Amino acid sequence: MKVASPSHTRIEALSHLLYTLDTSIPKEEALQLSKDIFQKTEALTKEFEMTSPPQYHNFLVNIGLKEKGLCYHWSDALYAYFTHKSYPSFEFHLMGANIGEYWTEHNVMVVVAKGMPVEEGIVIDPWRDASRLYFSKVKEDTKYVWKHRASRGCK
């Protein structure tokens, strides 16, 4: 799968959404985090050798033709990466929907302003649209009913 570079408009849109979590967040930090999220998504797309649609990629992983690329591979990789980066205004969490349901479970990373509830955060989901980064406020993502996955290591 050819990896398309994100447009400046999409980077700015995510940056603005991150900034709206708490307007005391420095705009430069929100912009840097947005760029970093898109860059890491691009790197993981190459690492996972993603194919489209994502359900087909899951099939390839499940039969052993691909090593990684399931939704939890994405969320875990993003979470591990960003929890070791320095973004003083932000926290990173894991959320899941339909937890334990083999065919419909879905996992994402969520970004929140430091100290804010995870339900107030932003869903970061590169799996859903086959490496094209999906992002929205948790409450506006009506496709799923998200639950915090604190048991998976996040606070």
Side-chain angles (χ1 to χ4, degrees):
M1 165 178 246
K2 186 176 187 302
V3 180
S5 293
S7 70
H8 182 71
T9 304
R10 289 190 33 84
I11 292 169
E12 286 288 332
L14 177 55
S15 174
H16 177 74
L17 200 57
L18 292 165
Y19 174 73
T20 63
L21 291 172
D22 182 340
T23 55
S24 69
I25 293 171
K27 286 186 177 183
E28 301 79 26
E29 186 180 355
L31 180 58
Q32 185 54 53
L33 177 55
S34 178
K35 288 177 182 177
D36 205 2
I37 288 169
F38 276 99
Q39 287 171 349
K40 187 62 180 174
T41 295
E42 219 173 294
L44 289 172
T45 299
K46 291 175 185 171
E47 179 183 330
F48 296 162
E49 300 175 339
M50 285 302 292
T51 53
S52 186
Q55 295 82 355
Y56 178 67
H57 189 88
N58 280 14
F59 168 74
L60 296 175
V61 172
N62 288 330
I63 64 168
L65 293 178
K66 298 270 185 181
E67 188 176 328
K68 288 191 173 185
L70 304 178
C71 62
Y72 80 88
H73 293 137
W74 285 96
S75 62
D76 288 2
L78 289 169
Y79 179 75
Y81 180 80
F82 285 104
T83 55
H84 291 95
K85 299 281 286 181
S86 179
Y87 286 103
S89 302
F90 296 100
E91 294 176 359
F92 305 95
H93 295 273
L94 296 170
M95 291 189 93
N98 305 316
I99 297 167
E101 298 295 324
Y102 184 78
W103 295 108
T104 59
E105 181 174 317
H106 190 45
N107 295 279
V108 295
M109 184 181 78
V110 173
V111 180
V112 298
K114 181 108 24 213
M116 297 300 290
V118 70
E119 297 79 15
E120 299 295 319
I122 297 170
V123 169
I124 303 298
D125 184 1
W127 178 88
R128 183 183 310 197
D129 293 328
S131 309
R132 186 177 193 280
L133 185 65
Y134 172 88
F135 55 89
S136 77
K137 292 201 173 181
V138 171
K139 292 179 179 178
E140 294 172 6
D141 186 8
T142 57
K143 184 169 183 170
Y144 296 98
V145 177
W146 296 112
K147 294 185 188 307
H148 192 208
R149 305 267 339 234
S151 64
R152 297 218 28 240
C154 59
K155 298 174 185 167

